[in-house]
């Protein structure tokens, strides 16, 4: 689809009908939504973005105040500035591939439609407790910004970086589990909400981030004796203790895994 502007005679060819357009049907062969394509279409209530679309241009849906939901195909890799600016009616974003969503390049902090909709649906289900699939290597900037439906997230050890303002505005997010002890977390307090507890390994980058920015940190692995170490697997609920020799002694709730009662343990502890 071509790019247009909001003035200088280079507006979309249907611009004069913008206040009357209620539904838009885009060719399945289209590979982009052009800049200012639906700018000012204040009555637009529904649109189907074809699966072949890879980019959504500048101000593509700006001012579409009647749009209540939007489905973003898994092939979309970039969304440009002001794409959903003024979409005050948005209350749902639908996706089918969380890995693809994590890789979208959002041009700036206000581009993600979640900033307006606040509710993310994956394959029709509201996203609350999210496990990022193994194989994802990075969670891009602004990926979940404004997602108020998200309450917990587990990030696999394949993820090597968490970018700027990834979880900013996730007001219901209470726990973030980071399984890669060397995951690079952007050096900014906006990366993670202050109310969320961060779960990670002792001496990990997650622990360092929590200390620097005053976040609650819960260890899911570390030393528990001179030659013993423990590791909690949040996916299976298995607490593994490895090594040899004497285990440290604790009093009542002082053991390093006591706080892990916050994570449901469905399997017995294994001593290896």
């Amino acid at each position: 689809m071509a790019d247009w502007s909001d003035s200088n005679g280079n507006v979309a060819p249907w611009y004069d009908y913008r206040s009357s357009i209620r539904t838009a049907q885009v060719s399945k062969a289209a590979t982009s939504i052009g800049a200012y394509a639906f700018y000012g279409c204040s009555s637009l209530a529904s649109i189907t973005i074809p699966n072949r679309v890879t980019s959504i241009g500048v101000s593509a849906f700006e001012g579409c105040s009647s749009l209540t939901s939007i489905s973003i195909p898994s092939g979309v890799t970039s969304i440009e500035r002001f794409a959903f600016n003024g979409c005050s009616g948005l209350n749902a974003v639908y996706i089918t591939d969380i890995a693809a969503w994590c890789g979208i390049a959002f041009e700036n902090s206000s581009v993600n439609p979640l900033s307006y909709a606040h509710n993310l649906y994956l394959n029709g289900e509201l996203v609350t407790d999210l496990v990022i699939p193994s194989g994802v290597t990075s969670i891009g900037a602004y990926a979940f910004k404004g997602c108020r439906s998200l309450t917990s997230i587990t990030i696999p050890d394949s993820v090597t970086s968490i970018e700027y303002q990834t979880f900013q505005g996730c007001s219901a997010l209470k726990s973030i589990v980071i399984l890669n002890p060397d995951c690079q977390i952007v050096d900014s307090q906006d990366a993670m909400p202050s109310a969320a507890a961060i779960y990670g390994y002792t001496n990990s980058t997650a622990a360092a981030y929590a200390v620097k920015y005053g976040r609650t940190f819960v260890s899911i692995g570390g030393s528990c004796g001179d030659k013993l170490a423990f590791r909690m697997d949040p996916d299976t609920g298995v607490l593994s203790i490895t090594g040899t020799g004497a285990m440290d002694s604790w009093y009542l709730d002082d053991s390093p895994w006591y706080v892990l009662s916050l994570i449901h343990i469905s399997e017995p502890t294994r001593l290896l």
Side-chain angles (χ1 to χ4, degrees), residues 16-50:
D16 288 343
Y17 307 101
R18 63 190 182 280
S19 62
S20 301
I21 298 173
R22 290 175 171 77
T23 301
Q25 298 177 341
V26 181
S27 168
K28 292 182 179 180
T31 58
S32 69
I33 302 296
Y36 294 93
F38 300 99
Y39 176 84
C41 291
S42 57
S43 298
L44 181 66
S46 68
I47 183 171
T48 300
I49 300 177

Side-chain angles (χ1 to χ4, degrees), residues 163-244:
E163 304 299 333
Y164 189 64
Q165 292 187 7
T166 301
F167 301 108
Q168 188 180 44
C170 296
S171 55
L173 187 57
K174 300 305 180 186
S175 67
I176 303 171
V177 180
I178 302 174
L179 296 179
N180 181 353
D182 300 313
C183 181
Q184 296 303 305
I185 305 170
V186 66
D187 190 9
S188 169
Q189 64 179 354
D190 293 332
M192 301 181 189
S194 59
I198 299 173
Y199 294 76
Y201 295 107
T202 302
N203 299 320
S204 65
T205 53
Y209 177 91
V211 170
K212 182 172 183 177
Y213 292 106
R215 303 298 199 260
T216 298
F217 179 75
V218 179
S219 178
I220 58 171
S223 174
C224 59
D226 288 340
K227 296 182 180 180
L228 289 175
F230 77 94
R231 180 183 187 276
M232 172 70 181
D233 186 336
D235 290 332
T236 63
V238 175
L239 174 67
S240 300
I241 299 172
T242 58
T244 61

Side-chain angles (χ1 to χ4, degrees), residues 65-87:
S65 55
S66 297
L67 199 61
T68 58
S69 67
I70 191 78
S71 295
I72 307 295
S74 60
V76 171
T77 58
S78 66
I79 301 179
E80 297 184 42
R81 64 189 182 279
F82 308 126
F84 295 94
N85 191 42
C87 291

Side-chain angles (χ1 to χ4, degrees), residues 118-139:
H118 305 305
N119 296 301
L120 181 64
Y121 290 82
L122 176 61
N123 296 316
E125 296 290 331
L126 183 65
V127 172
T128 55
D129 302 308
L130 179 62
V131 177
I132 300 295
S134 180
V136 172
T137 59
S138 178
I139 303 180

Side-chain angles (χ1 to χ4, degrees), residues 44-116:
L44 181 66
S46 68
I47 183 171
T48 300
I49 300 177
N51 290 331
R52 292 187 180 183
V53 167
T54 60
S55 64
I56 299 175
V58 174
S59 297
F61 296 100
E62 183 172 354
C64 295
S65 55
S66 297
L67 199 61
T68 58
S69 67
I70 191 78
S71 295
I72 307 295
S74 60
V76 171
T77 58
S78 66
I79 301 179
E80 297 184 42
R81 64 189 182 279
F82 308 126
F84 295 94
N85 191 42
C87 291
S88 56
L90 271 182
N91 57 44
V93 175
Y94 292 90
I95 63 173
T96 58
D97 187 334
I98 197 68
W101 179 261
C102 289
I104 292 177
F106 296 102
E107 186 172 353
N108 60 31
S109 62
S110 63
V111 166
N112 192 331
L114 281 174
S115 295
Y116 307 93

